[in-house]
Structures are given as C-alpha cells and as structure tokens.
C-alpha cells in the first residue's frame, strides 16, 4: 500500500516550485559615482514581491529602500498552468545616482514567490552584497612640529616634518621624498616628542633645556666672547647667553649697526651629512567614516646641508588617478622687511613696528624677538616676542632709539635694525625740559631761536 506514495515523492519539488536569488558583486566605487545594484533571481513560480534593504548598525537595523508588490501591479507573468514547468529569469535593479560615504555597507535583496501548490504560501529567498565606497583625500599639508622654534648654533637638534592627510577612505599611503628621491626611513612605534603638540598634548618648551655637556658649553661661551659685540648675542635667544642682571648687552656708542646679519657659523661636531630618517604614522578615524593620516619624519637637522633642501610628502590612494603631493623648502629667514606705522611718528603717538615678509620663502615659521639697542623697551621689558612691536604713547626721549628684530628658525637666524624718529606734536604743550632736546623735536625750537637772533642783528 505504500508503493504509490513512494512514487509521489519526486513530484513534491514540482508542486513547491523553486527560487534562486543572486546579487552581482560590485567593485569599490568612489564618492560621487553612480552605482547600480543588480539582483538576479530565477524561478518557475509566480512573483509575489521584491524588497531591497540597506543594512546598518552591524545588521541590527534594515532600512527598506525599494519595494515591488505584485498584488498591486499588473506587470507580471501569469503562470496558472501547474502542469507545465516554466523557468523565468528576472532582474531587479536599484540605482544610487551619487554615492556618499554614508552609503557604504551591506545591501540585501529579498524575493518572494507564490507556492505552486497554493497561493496562500510564499516561498522566500535572498542574497546580499557589500557596497565599498572609497573617498580620496581632500587635502594634504606639510607642517613643522614644535614651530616656531629657535635656531641652535652650538647644539644639534632633531627636526620633525608632519604630513597631514584628511578625508581618505581607506587610509592613503604616505611617503616622504627629499629633492625628488624617496627617503629610506626607519619605522618608529611611538611618535616623536616634538609632534606632541599636533596630537593634542603639546608640552611646554623650555628654552634653558639645551642638553649641553661642559665641553660644548665652554666652547659656546668662548666663541661668544670672541665675536663682534652687537652681532652674535641677539642671534640666539638672549636669555640663553646672559644672566638677567647683566644689564644692556651693548652700547649705542660702541655698537656697529649693520642692516642685516645672517648667522652661518656651525661647529665641526654638529652632525653627519647622512642622517637616519625615522618615520611614524597615525590613523585617526573621523565621525564621517574617513581616516585622517598623520605621517611624521624625524631626523637630526644639519643647517649647513638641510638649508634650501626640498622635502615633499606624496600620497597614493586607490581613488586617485595620480598621487597627491605637497612640497616645502627648508629655508632660514633672510632680510626681514620692517614697516613702521605711522611713518612720521610724533610725541604721544602709538608706534607699531611690524615685519612684513622676507626676501625669501621661509620655512618653518620663524620666531621673532624685539630688543632695544642700549636699553630696555618702553614697557621696561628686555625683549618682546612676536611679529609686531607696539610702543604706546612714545615720549620724546625715544627719538633716535634703535630697535633690533631677530628672526630665527631651526635653519638660521638674522638680525635687522630700525631707528625710531620722533617729531614734535603741536597738540601737546611743551615743558621746560624740552629746551635742551635734540633731533626733530628740538630742531624747530633751535630754528626759531636762530631766526630771532637774525632779526635782532639786522635791527642793530
């Protein structure tokens, strides 16, 4: 009695029907491209529905992005003849006109057909694909870590270039070149201390911490003693070569005032001309799904060799047709251009002395220090840091005073001088102490006295 039932077993698949679903794989795409998702399915049953999902949050959330419901559409095939097996191939497509980083992730295609035996039962099948959206880096910048920094004449110091590349997905490949040649680097597990400021935890720089041994210190002091007075003491930070109670470093009577002095003296023990370059790279994930890369190149700086050297940061990324590159030329400051405002200062004016550029392109950013030759600044301080020196309500006593601007970076240092000429202000009453004044303030009074004497001589 069981024999006829056994003959019906091979016929069950014919009654249930079949459904296979596959999504065509996608290569990585670039932000802004148009993408078409293709879902192919083969069945001998009658279409019920097609649903596309975008999967987020690790698969916990499925967002419906497309739905086709055959119950509300007349555009489908009628396959009512259950006795005849018919295979049909379908394709459902979803087009994303301009993909964004947020479109990155898995997508699923779900297909349902009616069971061949009963229209109350639906057979389901699905497939998925991962859409990999790439984003090229949006910019590239090369900075100097721990900048601005002073020039070190007698102490070798490390120098770090930082290449910052934001906006890439996946993370780009970053490399450094010198004068067009790829630099052979030694990988570092930890970032250099000089780059701590670019990582959000910048330590304070102590100008007294030079790590000098006794031999180097004695040599430095002996060289300072033999140099011309008025040239070298201001090339280095004055606080590193004199004590606070030594008073003015030079006298306007004995000091020679050059227009510009560039320091080019380097001891023989400084360092090798073929240093080791150390490389460290960090990947910082951003909230938009991209990665910011910070690559650091550190070596022992040799100003004699590294001055005017061209360093470049090269970035390669699969979303770029050609590498990105940013270049910097290491250069010491030369010939600061100083401007004074107002150009004709009078007693009581606020005078601003400002550095407006150099004769060359300077990198890294220089450190500016202002001093007054033969005395202290108007506010009583020995020096002032910054590109601009402001003298509030200048008195007549400052007429003819000389000011020195020292511009320095790790590649070198230069001194430039300017003299302050003050004219008499007719809006300010003159006191009896002005009778012995000299310069433009007293010259008008002297002219008046000579004129009176001339008139009296002619009357006699």
């Amino acid at each position: 009695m069981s024999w006829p039932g056994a003959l019906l077993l091979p016929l069950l698949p014919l009654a249930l029907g079949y459904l296979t679903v596959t999504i065509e794989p996608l290569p990585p795409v670039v932000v802004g491209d148009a993408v078409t998702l293709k879902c192919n399915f083969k069945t001998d049953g009658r279409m019920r529905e097609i649903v596309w999902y975008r999967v987020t949050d690790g698969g916990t959330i499925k967002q419906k992005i497309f739905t086709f419901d055959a119950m509300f559409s007349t555009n489908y095939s009628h396959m009512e003849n259950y006795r005849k097996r018919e295979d049909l191939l379908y394709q459902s497509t979803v087009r994303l006109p301009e993909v964004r980083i947020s479109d990155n992730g898995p997508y699923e295609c779900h297909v349902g057909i009616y069971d061949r035996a009963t229209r109350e039962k639906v057979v389901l099948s699905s497939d998925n694909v991962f859409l990999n959206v790439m984003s090229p880096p949006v910019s590239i910048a090369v900075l100097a870590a721990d900048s601005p920094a002073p020039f070190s004449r007698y102490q070798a110091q490390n120098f770090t270039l930082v290449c910052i590349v934001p906006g890439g997905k996946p993370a780009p490949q970053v490399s450094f070149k010198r004068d067009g040649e790829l630099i052979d680097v030694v990988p570092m597990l930890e970032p250099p201390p000089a780059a701590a400021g670019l990582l959000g935890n910048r330590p304070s720089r102590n100008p007294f911490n030079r790590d000098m041994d006794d031999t180097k210190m004695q040599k430095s002091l002996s060289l300072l003693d033999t140099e011309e007075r008025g040239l070298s003491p201001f090339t280095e930070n004055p606080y590193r070569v004199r004590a606070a109670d030594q008073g003015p470093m030079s006298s306007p009577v004995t000091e020679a005032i050059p227009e510009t002095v560039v320091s080019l003296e380097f001891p023989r023990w400084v360092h090798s001309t073929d240093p080791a370059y150390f490389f460290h790279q960090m990947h910082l994930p951003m909230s938009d799904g991209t990665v910011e890369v910070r690559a650091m190149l550190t070596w022992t700086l040799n100003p004699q060799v590294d001055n005017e050297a061209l360093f470049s940061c090269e970035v390669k990324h699969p979303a770029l047709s050609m590498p990105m590159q940013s270049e910097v030329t290491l250069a010491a400051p030369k010939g600061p251009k100083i401007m004074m405002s107002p150009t004709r200062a009078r007693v009581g004016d606020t005078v601003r002395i400002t550095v407006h550029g150099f004769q060359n392109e300077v990198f890294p950013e220089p450190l500016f220090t202002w001093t007054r030759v033969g005395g202290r600044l108007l506010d009583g301080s020995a020096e002032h840091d910054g590109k601009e020196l402001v003298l509030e309500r200048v008195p007549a006593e400052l007429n003819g005073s000389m000011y020195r601007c020292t511009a320095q970076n790790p590649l070198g240092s230069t001194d430039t001088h300017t003299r302050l000429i003050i004219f008499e202000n007719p809006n300010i009453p003159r006191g009896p102490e002005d009778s012995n004044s000299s310069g433009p303030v007293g010259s008008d009074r002297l002219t008046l006295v000579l004129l009176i004497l001339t008139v009296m001589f002619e009357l006699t």
Side-chain angles (χ1 to χ4, degrees):
M1 297 296 294
S2 61
W3 178 68
L7 292 179
L8 294 177
L9 292 176
L11 301 178
L12 290 178
L14 298 178
L16 294 176
Y18 79 97
L19 174 65
T20 59
V21 179
T22 58
I23 300 182
E24 295 184 9
L26 289 172
V29 297
V30 181
V31 170
D33 289 351
V35 177
T36 300
L37 307 177
K38 298 179 180 180
C39 178
N40 301 318
F41 53 96
K42 189 175 183 182
T43 181
D44 62 348
R46 183 185 176 194
M47 177 76 64
R48 171 62 181 89
E49 66 176 358
I50 304 171
V51 182
W52 281 89
Y53 293 96
R54 179 188 169 210
V55 184
T56 59
D57 293 339
T60 58
I61 299 178
K62 293 185 178 181
Q63 178 186 1
K64 189 181 295 186
I65 61 175
F66 173 79
T67 300
F68 171 80
D69 194 333
M71 293 184 62
F72 301 98
S73 176
T74 59
N75 186 21
Y76 60 88
S77 297
H78 293 273
M79 292 178 289
E80 301 292 346
N81 186 2
Y82 292 157
R83 297 180 182 178
K84 181 181 179 181
R85 185 179 182 88
E86 183 178 4
D87 295 342
L88 293 179
L89 181 64
Y90 298 85
Q91 185 181 75
S92 174
T93 61
V94 173
R95 187 173 185 270
L96 306 177
E98 292 184 6
V99 294
R100 298 168 295 179
I101 288 293
S102 57
D103 295 326
N104 186 86
Y107 290 79
E108 293 182 356
C109 175
H110 292 248
V111 179
I113 64 169
Y114 287 112
D115 189 276
R116 292 180 62 89
T118 172
R119 302 186 67 173
E120 298 178 356
K121 187 177 181 181
V122 177
V123 178
L124 299 175
S125 184
S126 65
D127 194 15
N128 63 80
V129 68
F130 191 92
L131 178 61
N132 184 10
V133 181
M134 300 187 303
S135 173
V138 296
S139 63
I140 177 175
V142 179
L143 309 175
D146 197 24
S147 180
F151 171 59
S152 178
R153 179 181 299 176
Y154 305 111
Q155 171 68 26
Q157 59 180 338
N158 289 336
F159 186 77
T160 299
L161 286 176
V162 183
C163 182
I164 302 178
V165 187
K169 180 185 175 297
Q173 178 185 351
V174 181
S175 58
F176 285 93
K177 293 183 177 180
R178 174 170 179 155
D179 297 326
E181 298 293 332
L182 185 65
I183 298 177
D184 187 15
V185 298
V186 179
M188 293 175 59
L189 297 179
E190 297 294 332
L198 296 173
L199 304 179
N201 186 22
R202 185 186 182 99
S204 60
R205 177 171 53 85
N206 183 0
F208 296 95
N209 185 14
R210 304 300 297 272
D211 296 329
M212 283 189 175
D213 59 26
D214 294 337
T215 304
K216 297 173 185 176
M217 180 64 75
Q218 292 174 3
K219 182 172 183 178
S220 302
L221 296 177
S222 64
L223 287 174
L224 286 174
D225 292 339
T226 58
E227 290 176 330
E228 293 184 12
R229 192 172 182 82
L231 300 183
S232 64
F234 289 92
T235 303
E236 285 279 346
N237 190 325
Y239 286 117
R240 282 195 281 272
V241 295
R242 64 165 181 161
D245 57 351
Q246 286 182 340
M249 299 189 66
S250 57
S251 168
V253 178
T254 60
E255 181 182 24
I257 306 298
E259 190 62 26
T260 299
V261 178
V262 179
S263 175
L264 297 175
E265 178 190 356
F266 304 98
R268 296 180 180 179
W269 54 264
V270 169
H271 16 75
S272 170
T273 58
D274 188 18
Y277 292 92
F278 297 92
F279 180 82
H280 177 77
Q281 186 169 272
M282 297 181 59
H283 292 174
L284 305 178
M286 300 289 106
S287 58
D288 60 354
T290 61
V291 177
E292 180 176 290
V293 176
R294 298 190 178 188
M296 285 150 271
L297 182 72
T298 302
W299 75 100
T300 302
L301 189 70
N302 187 340
Q304 290 176 295
V305 177
D306 294 331
N307 196 27
E308 305 297 336
L310 175 66
F311 285 84
S312 59
C313 174
E314 186 175 271
V315 175
K316 295 182 180 179
H317 192 273
L320 295 173
S321 58
M322 59 186 302
M324 295 174 61
Q325 185 169 284
S326 179
E327 299 178 343
V328 294
T329 300
L330 304 188
K334 296 179 182 178
K337 302 175 183 178
I338 295 181
M339 296 184 63
M340 186 179 300
S341 176
T343 55
R344 184 181 175 90
R346 297 186 298 183
V347 175
D349 287 347
T350 295
V351 178
R352 299 178 182 273
I353 310 175
T354 311
V355 178
H356 286 271
F358 296 87
Q359 295 178 359
N360 63 326
E361 293 291 334
V362 180
F363 184 88
E365 176 187 1
L367 183 68
F368 299 93
T369 304
W370 294 89
T371 54
R372 179 186 172 191
V373 178
R376 291 184 172 270
L377 298 176
L378 184 58
D379 60 1
S381 61
E383 65 178 28
H384 171 75
D385 294 331
K387 293 183 66 174
E388 184 179 71
L389 175 65
V390 180
L391 304 175
E392 299 281 352
R393 303 180 64 180
V394 292
E397 291 76 11
L398 288 183
N399 179 51
S401 57
M402 182 75 68
Y403 294 87
R404 175 189 291 108
C405 176
T406 300
Q408 58 181 319
N409 68 4
L411 280 302
S413 175
T414 179
D415 293 341
T416 299
H417 300 75
T418 185
R419 189 179 297 277
L420 177 62
I421 304 299
I422 304 176
F423 295 87
E424 185 175 346
N425 191 340
N427 297 324
I428 299 178
R430 292 173 296 181
E433 67 277 2
D434 295 334
S435 58
N436 295 326
S437 60
S438 60
V441 176
S443 60
D444 295 341
R445 177 167 296 181
L446 180 61
T447 302
L448 180 60
V449 172
L450 293 177
L451 180 60
I452 295 175
L453 292 177
T454 303
V455 173
M456 293 177 61
F457 179 79
E458 291 179 353
L459 292 177
T460 58

